[in-house]
């Protein structure tokens, strides 16, 4: 009878759902709890290791300081005039003896760590013992120290164990130059128990063991335990790390070490392992108890929820029928099928909404990052976005990297405009993924030209690791996308640095590849090293006018200017001539690097080696200058013209926040003359480029007036307007309204 009653109950949907959910919860919670416990244990041990290492480093630093002060004190005592008079006295003089005794007593009274001291005169076989007075060698109680002074020179200015009259001391022999024979020595006996108390008294507890061993494994300071000493010494020699474990028959010790370089000693800071793990075990027990409690509560909630919810399946089905398209064939579908079809329809709608939001999110991200880079510092909204939507503000320092696409003209000819955008998007994703995998935060941004930038957050000491990650990103881009890039990385900067100037400087760094063609990660120090050899302003060849003539499409003028410049170096020595040619050619190629004529030039140094005379190199330069000037006005097919205009529009949209945006800047970016850019844009768009820039800025202002609460002047600044008067007159011209009136008319009405 009981089985007959239980069976229908087990077949109920809500109960079976409850069992399934509870099983899934248990199966998922157990690995999670195990993982959480393991991660907590790992994190705790890392913290313990870090704290132990900090503690042992502090102890080592403190020991170095105290021992150094004792040495300095001993040297001061050794060079005291009264003591020196006693050393060099040629006859027994009671006044000199008394003065030496008084000086010795004065020094002893001001340093409590010095238990005893000897002034040893080998010339007269006399010793001034701080406890006895002046005695002869025969009457001197510490004969072993006399043997040390006479024969063993390696102990000079080095502390070593010494036990006169059964006391435990560290001895120090002065002076400090044993290779020069001397008849006069000072010996200081340091009270080891008092020194140990001074070093370890505030740190050591019953759960810890601290000791200092020399290079032979002998205890210099701390407790004496032969078995533990031997294990520490052997483990310290075998292990390459600063922390390790030592196992004894009934104990396991976790040990952190630090070196005392001046004495060639090692500090061993040991803690019993069960002391370290007891808190972890307690946490694990509590975690298990709380997990069981949570499982019980959630199971009850599951039972109540499944019983209450599954009774409403029919009601839910009826609701979904109202939003679905009903036809004659669908009337006979079961309720569960209605639910399934309705959910699929809703999911499709949500996916479409999500895609729309994702696209909008990417636009917002690009605008805020571009505003930060082009203004130098983030505005209020940009900072809020960076703080809430990125991990950059949690990092101690920021680095700025530039990835420039080599042979960009060839790259543009190989791929159409949409393909280029996708490839640059892929470069950004690969770079962010590689750098993000190395515990850094990275945000990439396509600047609309031949390069991308990466804003990277990390720690100041991690620049070498960051270089390796950037090199890996460079290699992955080359391997996956078949795109060659040159990468440059800045030094570490604070969040408040002016990143506009940093961005301009790091972009120029990527041009250093023209020097020798090497594929490397360029640093700011590389540029400083390069500029250190730059000729002075009076000696350097002038490239500005030549570049201006090239960009205006005047090859004859450019060649005439080039020949005038080459005359300046014909009489120079070979080394100076080569130096001037290197920097002159670098400036030329750097400013016109996007030209396809420069695609085959991989290294300036190799280029100079190719030509044996100055006239041959000049002929090559004249040919390149003529080609570059001719390229600025090369007619293009209609498709190519439209692609160039699309790129110009993308570049303008990416740089609207830049107050320095101009037609000249656009022309420089695409290596065309200003007149050709103006003519091309007007031909395709039926509006001048300057007018288009102004229109886009006004549209951006209108959007921000409606969607944000920023002040009018803040919006004008964010959209690239340099003056208040120009902004208001331009806005009134396009909208027939003032910014305030536009916001009042088109903004949200207050509720």
């Amino acid at each position: 009878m009981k089985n007959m009653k239980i069976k229908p109950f087990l077949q109920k949907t809500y109960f079976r759902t409850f069992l399934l959910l509870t099983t899934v919860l248990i199966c998922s919670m157990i690995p999670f709890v195990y993982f959480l416990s393991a991660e907590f244990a790992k994190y705790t041990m890392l913290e313990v290791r870090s704290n132990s290492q900090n503690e042992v480093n502090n102890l080592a630093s403190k020991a170095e300081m105290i021992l150094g002060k004792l040495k300095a004190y001993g040297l001061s005592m050794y060079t005291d005039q009264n003591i020196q008079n006693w050393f060099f006295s040629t006859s027994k003089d009671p006044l000199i003896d008394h003065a030496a005794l008084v000086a010795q007593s004065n020094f002893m009274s001001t340093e409590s760590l010095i238990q005893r001291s000897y002034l040893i005169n080998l010339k007269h076989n006399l010793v001034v013992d701080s406890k006895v007075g002046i005695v002869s060698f025969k009457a001197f109680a510490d004969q072993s120290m006399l043997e040390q002074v006479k024969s063993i020179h390696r102990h000079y200015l080095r502390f070593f164990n010494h036990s006169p009259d059964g006391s435990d001391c560290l001895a120090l022999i002065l002076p400090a130059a044993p290779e020069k024979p001397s008849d006069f020595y000072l010996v200081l006996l340091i009270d080891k128990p008092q020194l140990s108390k001074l070093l370890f008294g505030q740190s050591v507890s019953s759960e810890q063991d601290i000791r200092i061993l020399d290079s032979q494994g002998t205890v210099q300071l701390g407790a004496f335990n032969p078995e533990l000493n031997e294990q520490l010494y052997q483990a310290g020699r075998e292990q390459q790390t600063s922390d390790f474990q030592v196992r004894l028959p009934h104990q396991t010790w976790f040990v952190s070490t630090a070196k005392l370089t001046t004495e060639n000693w090692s500090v061993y800071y040991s803690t019993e392992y069960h002391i370290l793990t007891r808190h972890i075990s307690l946490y694990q027990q509590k975690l298990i108890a709380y997990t069981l409690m949570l499982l019980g509560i959630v199971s009850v909630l599951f039972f109540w929820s499944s019983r209450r919810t599954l009774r409403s399946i029919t009601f839910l089905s009826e609701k979904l029928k109202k939003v679905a398209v009903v036809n004659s064939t669908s009337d006979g579908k079961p309720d569960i099928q209605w639910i399934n079809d309705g959910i699929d329809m809703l999911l499709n709608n949500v996916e479409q909404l999500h895609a729309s939001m994702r696209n909008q999110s990417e636009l917002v991200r690009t605008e805020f990052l571009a505003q930060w880079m082009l203004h130098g510092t983030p505005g209020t909204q940009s900072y809020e976005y960076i703080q809430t939507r990125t991990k950059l503000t949690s990092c101690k320092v920021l680095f700025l990297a530039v990835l420039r696409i080599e042979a960009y003209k060839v790259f543009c000819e190989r791929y159409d405009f949409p393909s280029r955008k996708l490839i640059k998007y892929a470069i950004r994703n690969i770079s962010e993924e590689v750098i993000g995998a190395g515990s850094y935060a990275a945000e990439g941004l396509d600047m609309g030209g031949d390069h991308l930038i990466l804003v990277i957050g990390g720690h100041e000491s991690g620049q070498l690791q960051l270089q390796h990650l950037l090199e890996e990103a460079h290699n992955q881009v080359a391997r996956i996308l078949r795109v060659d890039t040159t990468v440059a990385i800045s030094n570490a900067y604070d969040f408040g640095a002016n990143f506009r100037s940093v961005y301009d400087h790091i972009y120029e760094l990527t041009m250093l590849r023209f020097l020798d063609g090497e594929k490397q990660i360029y640093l700011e120090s590389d540029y400083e090293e390069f500029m250190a050899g730059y000729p002075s302003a009076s000696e350097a060849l002038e490239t500005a006018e030549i570049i201006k003539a090239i960009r205006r499409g005047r090859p004859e003028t450019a060649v005439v200017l080039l020949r005038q410049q080459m005359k300046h170096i014909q009489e120079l020595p070979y080394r100076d001539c080569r130096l001037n040619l290197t920097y002159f050619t670098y400036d030329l190629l750097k400013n016109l690097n996007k030209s396809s004529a420069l695609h085959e030039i991989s290294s300036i140094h190799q280029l100079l080696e190719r030509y044996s005379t100055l006239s041959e190199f000049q002929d090559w330069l004249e040919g390149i200058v003529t080609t570059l000037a001719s390229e600025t006005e090369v007619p293009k097919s209609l498709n190519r013209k439209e692609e160039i205009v699309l790129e110009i529009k993308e570049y303008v949209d990416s740089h609207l926040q830049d107050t320095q945006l101009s037609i000249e800047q656009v022309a420089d970016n695409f290596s065309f003359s200003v007149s050709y850019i103006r003519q091309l844009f007007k031909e395709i768009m039926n509006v001048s480029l300057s007018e288009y820039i102004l229109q886009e800025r006004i549209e951006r202002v209108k959007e921000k007036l409606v969607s944000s609460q920023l002040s009018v002047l803040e919006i004008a600044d964010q959209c690239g307007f340099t003056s208040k008067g120009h902004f208001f007159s331009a806005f009134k011209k396009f909208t027939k309204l003032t910014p305030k009136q536009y916001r009042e008319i088109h903004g949200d009405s207050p509720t």
Side-chain angles (χ1 to χ4, degrees):
M1 291 292 292
K2 290 183 178 180
N3 290 336
M4 293 179 64
K5 291 181 179 180
I6 293 175
K7 189 173 181 180
F9 182 74
L10 292 176
Q11 291 177 344
K12 291 183 181 296
T13 302
Y14 70 86
F15 188 76
R16 295 175 66 181
T17 304
F18 157 72
L19 290 178
L20 176 63
L21 291 177
T22 304
T23 303
V24 171
L25 178 64
I26 293 174
C27 292
S28 60
M29 284 289 286
I30 290 175
F32 174 74
V33 170
Y34 176 80
F35 171 77
L36 189 63
S37 176
E39 286 298 308
F40 173 78
K42 186 190 300 183
Y43 171 77
T44 303
M45 288 307 299
L46 287 175
E47 287 293 312
V48 168
R49 288 185 177 185
S50 175
N51 293 337
S52 298
Q53 193 59 50
N54 289 337
E55 188 70 24
V56 75
N57 288 340
N58 291 337
L59 285 173
S61 176
K62 186 177 180 181
E64 292 269 18
M65 180 187 68
I66 293 175
L67 296 178
K69 284 185 176 180
L70 288 172
K71 290 180 182 179
Y73 193 80
L75 289 171
S76 299
M77 184 175 177
Y78 181 82
T79 56
D80 182 79
Q81 189 60 52
N82 291 322
I83 291 175
Q84 288 291 309
N85 290 341
W86 183 82
F87 278 148
F88 292 98
S89 174
T90 57
S91 62
K92 187 170 180 62
D93 188 335
L95 292 177
I96 293 176
D97 293 347
H98 177 72
L101 284 168
V102 171
Q104 184 185 33
S105 298
N106 289 338
F107 276 102
M108 292 286 292
S109 64
T110 57
E111 182 50 72
S112 60
L113 290 176
I114 302 177
Q115 186 184 71
R116 197 169 184 176
S117 65
Y118 308 141
L119 303 177
I120 301 176
N121 191 326
L122 297 179
K123 189 173 182 180
H124 297 297
N125 295 333
L126 292 175
V127 177
V128 178
D129 187 340
S130 61
K131 289 190 177 181
V132 178
I134 302 176
V135 296
S136 65
F137 277 11
K138 291 183 179 180
F140 183 45
D142 196 351
Q143 291 294 319
S144 62
M145 181 55 71
L146 286 179
E147 296 300 323
Q148 294 273 21
V149 170
K150 292 177 181 178
S151 60
I152 303 177
H153 289 181
R154 65 184 174 85
H155 284 154
Y156 287 126
L157 211 60
R158 290 277 190 170
F159 290 94
F160 59 92
N161 284 322
H162 188 65
S163 302
D165 303 329
S167 59
D168 193 10
C169 299
L170 282 178
L172 177 67
I173 301 176
L174 299 122
E179 65 277 3
K180 297 180 181 180
S182 175
D183 293 326
F184 315 111
Y185 298 94
L186 167 65
V187 177
L188 299 180
L189 299 182
I190 311 302
D191 189 342
K192 283 178 65 174
Q194 190 172 352
L195 179 58
S196 297
K197 184 178 179 181
L198 179 61
L199 282 174
F200 312 142
Q202 302 301 321
S203 302
V204 72
S205 68
S206 59
E207 302 170 348
Q208 299 164 330
D209 180 274
I210 306 175
R211 62 190 67 209
I212 298 178
L213 307 182
D214 63 13
S215 59
Q216 305 301 318
T218 305
V219 177
Q220 298 297 325
L221 291 170
F224 180 75
N225 183 335
E227 185 178 10
L228 183 57
N229 286 347
E230 180 64 23
Q231 292 287 344
L232 290 174
Y233 177 65
Q234 291 297 333
R237 293 182 59 186
E238 295 171 0
Q239 299 291 335
Q240 300 298 320
T241 58
S242 60
D243 53 60
F244 49 85
Q245 291 184 20
V246 170
R247 298 183 183 277
L248 296 179
H250 302 290
Q251 289 176 312
T252 300
W253 294 83
F254 177 78
V255 185
S256 297
T257 66
K259 289 287 187 182
L260 275 67
T261 55
T262 57
E263 298 297 324
N264 197 21
W265 293 353
S266 297
V267 181
Y268 294 86
Y269 186 94
S270 308
T271 308
E272 282 197 60
Y273 202 78
H274 75 88
I275 300 299
L276 300 179
T277 57
R278 64 184 179 186
H279 296 295
I280 299 175
S281 300
L282 181 60
Y283 170 79
Q284 291 172 333
Q285 293 171 7
K286 289 183 177 179
L287 186 62
I288 292 172
Y290 292 149
T291 302
L292 293 175
M293 186 184 302
L294 178 63
L295 284 174
I297 295 172
V298 174
S299 297
V300 172
L301 290 175
F302 276 171
F303 184 80
W304 174 80
S305 178
S306 61
R307 177 170 179 157
R308 181 175 181 272
T309 305
L310 294 178
R311 286 180 174 179
S312 305
I313 288 179
T314 303
F315 175 75
L316 178 61
S317 173
E318 292 296 328
K319 288 285 187 182
L320 289 173
K321 286 179 183 179
K322 294 179 181 180
V323 297
V325 178
V326 180
N327 54 44
S328 58
T329 60
S330 61
D331 286 336
K333 289 193 300 186
D335 289 341
I336 195 66
Q337 187 63 43
W338 276 112
I339 293 173
N340 185 59
D341 293 345
I343 289 176
D344 286 342
M345 182 188 64
L346 293 175
L347 286 176
N348 289 333
N349 293 338
V350 170
E351 182 63 30
Q352 293 174 5
L353 179 61
H354 178 67
S356 175
M357 293 176 61
R358 185 168 60 244
N359 293 335
Q360 182 66 23
S361 175
E362 179 64 22
L363 291 175
V364 172
R365 173 191 178 278
T366 300
E367 179 181 351
F368 285 141
L369 289 178
Q371 179 185 331
W372 181 14
M373 291 298 105
L374 296 174
H375 279 246
T377 55
T380 304
Q381 283 191 322
S382 295
Y383 183 78
E384 290 176 358
Y385 177 85
I386 294 164
Q387 191 175 37
T388 57
R389 304 297 295 275
T390 74
K391 299 179 181 179
L392 295 177
T393 51
S394 64
C395 301
K396 294 184 178 179
V397 293
L398 297 178
F399 301 88
L400 187 67
V402 173
L403 286 76
R404 182 173 61 82
I405 300 173
E406 287 293 328
Y408 188 66
K409 207 87 168 187
V410 178
F411 177 75
C412 292
E413 293 170 358
R414 183 180 302 169
Y415 303 104
D416 59 14
F417 180 70
S419 298
R420 292 198 296 274
K421 285 186 67 67
L422 287 175
I423 290 173
K424 288 198 283 186
Y425 184 75
I427 293 174
R428 191 193 97 187
N429 283 347
I430 291 172
S431 302
E432 288 179 345
E433 183 174 346
V434 171
I435 293 171
S439 73
Y440 288 87
E443 293 290 337
L445 183 63
D446 178 8
M447 297 306 293
D450 64 342
H451 64 282
L452 301 91
I453 62 174
L454 289 172
V455 186
I456 305 169
H459 45 280
E460 192 167 1
S461 60
Q463 190 168 19
L464 182 60
Q465 181 191 2
L466 184 54
Q467 292 176 41
H468 294 319
L469 291 173
L470 285 170
E471 185 174 357
E472 174 65 19
H474 164 83
N475 294 335
Q476 293 287 0
V477 168
R479 182 179 64 84
I480 299 172
L481 304 176
R482 308 296 183 192
V483 176
D484 185 21
T485 57
T486 299
V487 185
I489 180 70
S490 72
N491 295 332
Y493 289 94
D494 294 330
F495 199 91
N498 186 343
F499 278 92
R500 173 57 192 263
S501 59
V502 176
Y503 162 45
D504 292 338
H505 178 56
I506 300 307
Y507 176 73
E508 187 171 352
L509 264 182
T510 62
M511 305 302 175
L512 289 180
R513 184 169 172 181
F514 281 113
L515 288 178
D516 50 23
E518 291 186 4
K519 297 180 180 180
Q520 65 180 50
I521 307 301
Y522 291 98
L523 312 175
E524 290 195 49
S525 57
D526 296 327
Y527 187 77
E528 293 168 2
E529 180 181 345
F530 168 66
M531 292 303 295
Y534 204 94
S536 62
S538 60
E539 298 174 351
L541 298 178
E542 179 59 50
T543 59
E545 293 300 322
I546 298 175
I547 293 170
K548 188 181 297 182
I550 290 173
R551 286 179 170 159
R552 289 177 177 175
R554 300 174 181 174
E556 298 83 3
T557 305
V559 170
V560 170
L561 293 171
L562 173 64
R563 290 173 179 171
Q564 292 175 357
Q565 291 298 313
M566 296 299 287
K567 289 179 181 179
H568 297 324
I569 63 171
Q570 289 179 351
E571 304 300 326
L572 293 178
Y574 172 77
R575 183 178 178 279
D576 294 342
C577 179
R578 184 182 177 90
L579 179 65
N580 277 271
L581 285 175
T582 298
Y583 285 93
F584 176 79
T585 310
Y586 169 76
D587 283 344
L588 188 67
L589 301 183
K590 178 187 70 174
N591 284 278
L592 301 164
N593 68 89
K594 297 180 182 67
S595 172
S596 57
L598 305 177
H599 175 50
E600 300 299 328
I601 302 173
S602 60
S603 166
I604 294 175
H605 296 320
Q606 292 178 5
L607 192 63
L608 291 172
E609 294 291 342
R610 189 189 306 169
Y611 299 99
S612 57
T613 65
L614 182 61
S615 61
E616 291 178 357
F617 187 73
Q618 182 174 338
D619 291 340
W620 176 84
L621 273 178
E622 290 180 6
I624 283 293
V625 165
T626 302
T627 303
L628 292 174
S630 302
E631 278 189 353
T632 60
E633 301 288 349
V634 173
K636 305 291 180 180
S637 67
L638 181 60
N639 289 339
R640 180 62 183 139
K641 286 180 178 180
E642 291 176 349
E643 279 201 353
I644 293 173
V645 170
L646 282 176
E647 286 193 68
I648 292 173
K649 290 173 65 179
E650 181 196 28
Y651 184 84
V652 168
D653 291 344
S654 301
H655 291 74
L656 281 178
Q657 302 96 330
D658 188 0
T659 57
Q660 302 176 24
L661 180 63
S662 64
I663 300 177
E664 288 76 13
Q665 180 181 338
V666 175
D668 288 349
N669 182 74
F670 292 95
S671 292
F672 291 118
S673 66
V674 173
S675 60
Y676 180 71
I677 287 289
R678 282 191 177 123
Q679 175 189 344
L680 177 63
F681 198 87
K682 181 77 171 178
E683 176 185 341
I684 302 298
M685 298 297 296
N686 293 321
V687 64
S688 68
L689 180 55
S690 58
E691 190 77 5
Y692 175 78
I693 293 173
L694 187 57
Q695 286 178 3
E696 290 301 305
R697 280 179 167 157
I698 294 298
E699 289 300 319
R700 187 73 61 87
V701 169
K702 288 161 63 178
E703 178 185 333
K704 288 181 176 289
L705 284 172
V706 174
S707 63
S708 75
Q709 299 299 319
L710 294 174
S711 69
V712 172
L713 293 181
E714 285 178 320
I715 293 174
D717 181 62
Q718 289 184 6
C719 296
F721 287 95
T722 55
S723 71
K724 179 179 177 181
H726 177 234
F727 165 64
F728 279 101
S729 62
F731 193 88
K732 189 72 177 286
K733 173 186 174 183
F734 278 91
T735 65
K736 311 301 182 185
L737 299 169
T738 66
K740 183 178 180 181
Q741 290 170 339
Y742 185 89
R743 173 174 271 175
E744 290 174 350
I745 294 172
H746 298 281
D748 293 335
S749 300
T751 56

